[in-house]
Amino acid sequence: MNIFYTLRDKLYANVTNRCPCSCIFCLRDSGKGVGSAESLWLAHEPGYEEIITAFDAVNLDGITEIVFCGYGEPMERADLVISVCKYIKQKCTLPLRLNTNGLVTMINPGFDLSALAVFDSVSVSLNAADEAEYLRVTKPKFGAAAYTAMLFFAREAKKYTDIVLTIVDIIGEEQIEQCRRLARSMDIPLRVRHFVGDNESYS
């Protein structure tokens, strides 16, 4: 079972397969694994001890960043992720990043966003410039309220860590330009990822 896996010079943490979204470009629909992981489908959700034991066994030589991003939304297990991050911070000085759909306030309403300070950066999947397109692209189980919740998360989270909004270029140039304008209005950087349907589009 692959809790930690590598792609290029990054170490990724895969702690859940649960996700409230079903994005049209999700890699889960095109393959089982990414990078060094033959499969990212978990036999069970690993507990804290299992995760830190797996981390302690990882060779960090050549690793430049540790990213919480697997075949699921990490913040489905928000409190556990924060605890694991605190442990990792005690063990190494590598920067920590969270890749998230930004819906933790809907997934875990009691989560304290100030805990995000443990991350050096957080990438938030913007995915679209308006609610209707967001629903089409992301298909969140929470419905239309998810778009507002994601934007709220991005605005609030920037109080505690560095935030980057991300989109995939499969959404088209018109939506990309609208996303650029939205990101500027929020004073948050935007990263456009190139979708090629394999590991190269992974971040």
Side-chain angles (χ1 to χ4, degrees), residues 23-40:
C23 299
I24 62 174
F25 47 74
C26 185
L27 287 175
R28 290 156 49 121
D29 298 327
S30 60
K32 294 190 303 181
V34 172
S36 66
E38 183 176 340
S39 176
L40 289 175

Side-chain angles (χ1 to χ4, degrees), residues 7 12 20 26 32 52 56 61 84 88 110 115 148 152 162:
L7 178 62
Y12 290 85
C26 185
K32 294 190 303 181
I52 64 171
D56 287 340
D61 292 345
V84 171
I88 291 174
T148 301
F152 170 82
D162 289 336

Side-chain angles (χ1 to χ4, degrees), residues 66-78:
I66 299 172
V67 187
F68 280 75
C69 175
Y71 265 15
E73 166 53 47
M75 299 309 275
E76 287 277 358
R77 308 186 71 193

Side-chain angles (χ1 to χ4, degrees), residues 25 28 37 43 48 52 63 74 76 80 88 95 98 110 137 143 146 175 177 201:
F25 47 74
R28 290 156 49 121
Y48 174 80
I52 64 171
I63 297 298
E76 287 277 358
L80 176 138
I88 291 174
L98 169 67
V137 171
Q175 272 287 315
E177 186 54 39
S201 66

Side-chain angles (χ1 to χ4, degrees), residues 159-202:
K159 298 176 182 177
Y160 308 108
T161 187
D162 289 336
I163 301 296
V164 175
L165 296 171
T166 67
I167 55 176
V168 180
D169 61 5
I170 195 174
I171 66 176
E173 191 55 44
E174 182 178 347
Q175 272 287 315
I176 290 172
E177 186 54 39
Q178 291 178 27
C179 286
R180 288 192 178 106
R181 289 196 293 269
L182 175 59
R184 283 195 295 269
S185 74
M186 297 173 67
D187 195 26
I188 299 176
L190 177 72
R191 179 176 173 228
V192 181
R193 294 165 46 209
H194 177 53
F195 178 78
V196 291
D198 59 22
N199 292 353
E200 291 180 30
S201 66
Y202 203 73

Side-chain angles (χ1 to χ4, degrees), residues 41-165:
W41 295 113
L42 297 166
H44 62 269
E45 288 195 335
Y48 174 80
E49 292 295 334
E50 190 174 1
I51 294 170
I52 64 171
T53 297
F55 175 77
D56 287 340
V58 172
N59 181 354
L60 296 178
D61 292 345
I63 297 298
T64 62
E65 186 180 35
I66 299 172
V67 187
F68 280 75
C69 175
Y71 265 15
E73 166 53 47
M75 299 309 275
E76 287 277 358
R77 308 186 71 193
D79 292 337
L80 176 138
V81 164
I82 298 302
S83 294
V84 171
C85 286
K86 290 178 179 178
Y87 177 83
I88 291 174
K89 285 286 191 183
Q90 294 175 350
K91 292 291 184 174
C92 71
T93 58
L94 288 169
L96 293 180
R97 170 161 51 105
L98 169 67
N99 285 4
T100 179
N101 56 31
L103 300 181
V104 68
T105 58
M106 304 189 89
I107 299 167
N108 291 293
F111 180 71
D112 182 357
L113 293 181
S114 69
L116 295 170
V118 74
F119 291 102
D120 297 279
S121 62
V122 174
S123 295
V124 182
S125 297
L126 175 61
N127 288 332
D130 59 77
E131 183 181 285
E133 185 66 6
Y134 180 83
L135 289 175
R136 185 189 74 82
V137 171
T138 305
K139 304 176 186 175
K141 72 177 186 180
F142 300 113
Y147 187 65
T148 301
M150 177 270 298
L151 294 177
F152 170 82
F153 172 85
R155 289 188 178 99
E156 289 297 304
K158 65 181 287 194
K159 298 176 182 177
Y160 308 108
T161 187
D162 289 336
I163 301 296
V164 175
L165 296 171

